[in-house]
Amino acid sequence: MEAGCKPASRWRLGLEWEKELVDPEGRRLPFFGPGGIRDLLLTLSRDCGWTAEYEGDNPVALSRDGEAITLEPGGQFEYSCPPKATVAEARDALEAHWAELRAHLQPGQRALQTAYPPLQDVQEIGFVPKGRYGIMGPYLAERGALAHGMMKGTTSLQVTADFDSEADCGQKLDVALGLAPVAMALTANSPLVSGRPAGVMSHRGRCWQATDPARTGLLAGLTGRTFSFAAYVDWILDVPMMFYWRDGRYRPGLGRSFGAWMREGIDGGYPDESAWETHLTSVFPEARVKHFVEVRSMENGPLEGLVAAVALWKGLFYDADALAQSHALAADIDPDQRQRLQDAAITSGLADRDLCALSARVLSIAGEGLERQGESASALDALRTRVEAGRSPGQDVLDAFDAHGPGAAFLDSISY
C-alpha cells in the first residue's frame, strides 16, 4: 500500500464496468454453446488482438495493452482499462469497448443497463468454469441467503483512485465509505427480480447485505482516526479465506484466516506475496484499499450515468478543497446514521428526501472540484438530473416495465 503512494501529478482514475449479456428473451448468455460467452471470448481473441487466459480448455479472461476483460461468477462481462487522466478519456474508453463488443454480439443479443437480471431467476444461471467460483459458491451460500444472487446476478461500476500518503488514502477511504449511500442512491438500478418488482430500488444492494458480513459492508471500525495501512492489513489478515492456490489449483480455505496461514502454515506450506494479492480480491466492502482506493457502491446503468459517476469521484478526490469538504460531510455521518442511509438507498434510492438533499450537496462539491481541475462540471449533468427529479435509474426501469411488460420492447428500453 505504501508503494501505491504517488504525487498528484501522476494521479489517474481506473474503472471497471460490469454488464450482463442476454439472448433475445432476456436470459443470460450461457458460457457454453453456440453464441455463448466462450465463443465470444474466442472471437474477440481471434479478431481484435486480445490474448486469452485459460483455465483448462476454457478461456476465462482477455488482456490487451493494459485492458482486460474478465468474467464474474455468472458470466457477467467486466471490462477494465488503463488508468485515465480525464473524464473524457474515461468516456472514450467505455464507448470504444462497447462499440467493439456490440460489433461481435450475435443478432438479438443485448447488453442490459440494469444491475440485476430483471426477468430471469438467478438460480437458472450457471457458474462459469473458474476454479475459485466453485469454492466461493458453497462457502458464501452458507453465510448469506442472497450470496448466489450477488455472485451471479449483480453488475456494477467500480472506480479506483490514487493517493499520495497514508493520510490521503485514509481521507479518500472515509469519503468513499461515508458517501456510499449517496453513490448507491444516485445509481440504484436493480428494482426487478424474476420478472416482478423487488420492492426495493436496489436489489443488488440487498444482495450484498445478505452475502457475508465478515468481508462486506461499510467498515465502521476502520474509518476516521482509526485508519492506517497497518490497521487495514490487520483486518484483512483476520478475514477467513475462501480459497488459496496450491499445486496449480484453488483449494478451500476451510475458514482459516490468512494470518493463521502465515503463523501456522497449511500442510507444511506458507503464503507468498501472490497469495496475499489473491486474498485481497476476496474481501468486498463498499470501498477497499490495495495500491489505490477502490469505490464499489455504484450500480450498472445508462452510459451517461456511468461517465458521470467517474466524474463524481474525480471531482471529490482530486481537488484538495473538495476532498476536505466531502471528508467533513462524511465525518458528520455517524456509523448508525450511515447504515440507515444505506438501507434507505437500497429501499428508496433518491426518492428518500434526506438522501436526495445529501446527494445534491455532494454533487455541488464535486462540480466545484471538477472546475478547479479544469474539467467541466457538466460531466455531472446526468446525475444532477436524477437528483432534481428525485428519481434513481431504477424508477425508469419500473416505468418501462409497467408500460411494456416483460417483452422485447421492455428489453430494448433497458439495453445499451
Side-chain angles (χ1 to χ4, degrees), residues 175-188:
V175 171
L177 292 168
L179 301 183
V182 169
M184 181 173 289
L186 287 168
T187 60

Side-chain angles (χ1 to χ4, degrees), residues 242-296:
M242 286 189 286
F243 45 74
Y244 65 98
W245 183 264
R246 172 77 65 81
D247 298 331
R249 66 184 180 93
Y250 287 103
R251 299 173 181 269
L254 302 178
R256 291 167 290 203
S257 72
F258 196 92
W261 187 14
M262 292 181 69
R263 292 188 303 270
E264 303 159 12
I266 297 176
D267 297 331
Y270 292 83
D272 58 15
E273 188 172 355
S274 66
W276 174 246
E277 294 288 344
T278 297
H279 185 55
L280 285 176
T281 68
S282 73
V283 296
F284 314 118
E286 293 299 311
R288 64 185 178 185
V289 181
K290 299 188 217 177
H291 303 296
F292 41 73
V293 174
E294 180 182 74
V295 187
R296 301 169 48 80

Side-chain angles (χ1 to χ4, degrees), residues 278-337:
T278 297
H279 185 55
L280 285 176
T281 68
S282 73
V283 296
F284 314 118
E286 293 299 311
R288 64 185 178 185
V289 181
K290 299 188 217 177
H291 303 296
F292 41 73
V293 174
E294 180 182 74
V295 187
R296 301 169 48 80
S297 300
M298 294 83 68
E299 306 210 339
N300 183 37
L303 192 59
E304 283 302 310
L306 301 180
V307 174
V310 175
L312 170 70
W313 295 109
K314 189 173 192 292
L316 295 179
F317 282 162
Y318 287 175
D319 173 77
D321 288 345
L323 180 60
Q325 291 179 58
S326 58
H327 188 248
L329 194 62
D332 284 341
I333 306 172
D334 65 46
D336 289 341
Q337 184 184 9

Side-chain angles (χ1 to χ4, degrees), residues 92-109:
D92 289 346
L94 293 176
E95 290 179 345
H97 161 67
W98 170 233
E100 180 179 82
L101 181 59
R102 179 180 58 211
H104 289 84
L105 294 178
Q106 299 294 315
Q109 293 179 346

Side-chain angles (χ1 to χ4, degrees), residues 70-86:
T70 54
L71 300 178
E72 293 298 297
Q76 304 98 307
F77 229 67
E78 179 175 305
Y79 168 74
S80 60
C81 62
K84 302 301 180 183
T86 67

